[in-house]
Amino acid sequence: MSNPSADPMVMTSRRDGVLVITLNRPHVRNAIDQGLADAVDTALTTLDNDPGLEVGILTGTGGHFCSGMDLKAFPTEGVPRVADRGLAGLTRAHRAKPLIAAVEGAAVAGGFELALACDLITAADTAFFALPEVTRGLVASEGGAIRLPRRLPHHLAMEMLLTASPLPASDAACHGLVNQLTGEGKALDAAFALAARVQANSPHAIRATRQVVNATRGLDDDAAFTVQDPITAPVFGTAIATEGVRAFCEKRTPDWTA
C-alpha cells in the first residue's frame, strides 16, 4: 500500500486531447475530503480552460472508483464542496466539455454522485453502485436523489435511495445507466475508446449539444425550444458547420480546425 501522505490525492495525465483525472486515496477507497475535492476542481478547471483538451475521464486507483465523502473528515470539514460547484467541484458545476466516468469496484454515496454528474459511464462488470446515505443519517444531496430517479425506473431508484441496496454494474448497464460494460480492469480502456468517438465530432457542436441538454431538462417542449434556439442558432452559421456538411458531401473526414 502506498504512503497516503507521500502521493498526490489526484493525479492527472494527458493523452491525445484527453485529460485523465485519477482519484488517488486508495487506502480509503478514494474517499473525498476537502483536499481531494479542491484538487479535482482544479483538474476540471484545467480541462475546461485548456484548448488542447477535448474530453475528460474521471477514474480511481486501487481497484475502486470512489467511496464517497470521507466520513472521518466530515465532523470537522463538513461536505467537501467547492464554492457553488458542489461535491469535488463537479456535482453542481456547469462544465463546458464532456466527462466520462471509468468505474472499477465501488462507486458509492458521493462517489456514485460524481459518476451521475458525468456525461458518460464505462464500468467493469465487477463494479457496483449504491447510495447508502440513509443508513448514516444523511441524504444523497449532491445529485443522487435528483438524478438517479431520472436515470432508472422510479421504483428501482427509490429502492436504492430508501434501502441503500447496491446495484451491480451489469444491472446498471441493462437499465442504460452504464454506456459500456467491460471486464475487470478495462473500464479506463473503454473510456478512452468512447472519448475517441466523441472527439471525432465537432467540439463546437458537442459543446452546444451539452448546453441544450442541461439547460432544457425538465421543461416542456415549447419552453425547451425557446431556451434551445439561441444556443444552437449560431452553430449553423459557422465555418465549422459548413466544413461538416461539405465533408459529408465529399465523403471525407471533416477538418474541425478549418
Side-chain angles (χ1 to χ4, degrees):
M1 181 180 296
S2 62
N3 180 352
S5 64
D7 298 327
M9 291 185 182
V10 172
M11 301 184 295
T12 59
S13 62
R14 299 171 182 237
R15 190 175 99 185
D16 300 328
V18 177
L19 181 69
V20 181
I21 304 168
T22 305
L23 310 182
N24 188 38
R25 300 185 74 211
H27 55 291
V28 288
R29 293 189 174 185
N30 303 316
I32 309 164
D33 64 3
Q34 193 61 52
L36 183 141
D38 291 337
V40 171
D41 180 64
T42 297
L44 291 171
T45 300
T46 297
L47 171 64
D48 271 356
N49 292 343
D50 189 331
L53 295 170
E54 299 169 314
V55 181
I57 296 174
L58 182 65
T59 192
T61 59
H64 292 284
F65 183 72
C66 178
S67 59
M69 178 174 64
D70 189 332
L71 296 180
K72 290 184 178 179
F74 174 68
T76 56
E77 294 185 353
V79 178
R81 301 186 183 100
V82 181
D84 61 349
R85 296 184 292 280
L87 183 69
L90 174 57
T91 55
R92 305 183 188 210
H94 299 287
R95 295 175 292 99
K97 296 178 183 178
L99 186 63
I100 303 170
V103 179
E104 300 278 350
V108 302
F112 189 14
E113 291 177 308
L114 294 184
L116 287 170
C118 293
D119 299 287
L120 302 163
I121 300 176
T122 64
D125 53 15
T126 50
F128 65 95
F129 305 91
L131 291 171
E133 279 84 351
V134 292
T135 68
R136 291 150 192 167
L138 302 171
V139 177
S141 61
E142 286 301 314
I146 295 171
R147 294 185 172 115
L148 191 63
R150 298 174 181 163
R151 312 289 174 79
L152 293 177
H154 175 79
H155 292 102
L156 177 57
M158 292 305 293
E159 180 180 355
M160 293 184 69
L161 286 162
L162 300 182
T163 73
S165 298
L167 182 70
S170 56
D171 291 347
C174 288
H175 289 290
L177 185 64
V178 168
N179 295 90
Q180 188 167 343
L181 194 66
T182 77
E184 187 173 8
K186 299 297 184 182
L188 183 57
D189 291 340
F192 271 116
L194 200 52
R197 290 169 56 195
V198 172
Q199 289 174 288
N201 304 305
S202 161
H204 296 83
I206 286 172
R207 183 172 298 197
T209 298
R210 290 189 68 259
Q211 191 176 352
V212 169
V213 169
N214 292 322
T216 61
R217 185 175 289 116
L219 302 180
D220 62 34
D221 283 357
D222 288 341
F225 279 115
T226 299
V227 171
Q228 171 201 266
D229 290 348
I231 298 171
T232 59
V235 174
F236 288 84
T238 63
I240 293 295
T242 301
E243 164 63 11
V245 172
R246 182 178 291 127
F248 174 80
C249 295
E250 296 173 357
K251 296 181 172 57
R252 59 175 175 81
T253 301
D255 178 5
W256 300 124
T257 63

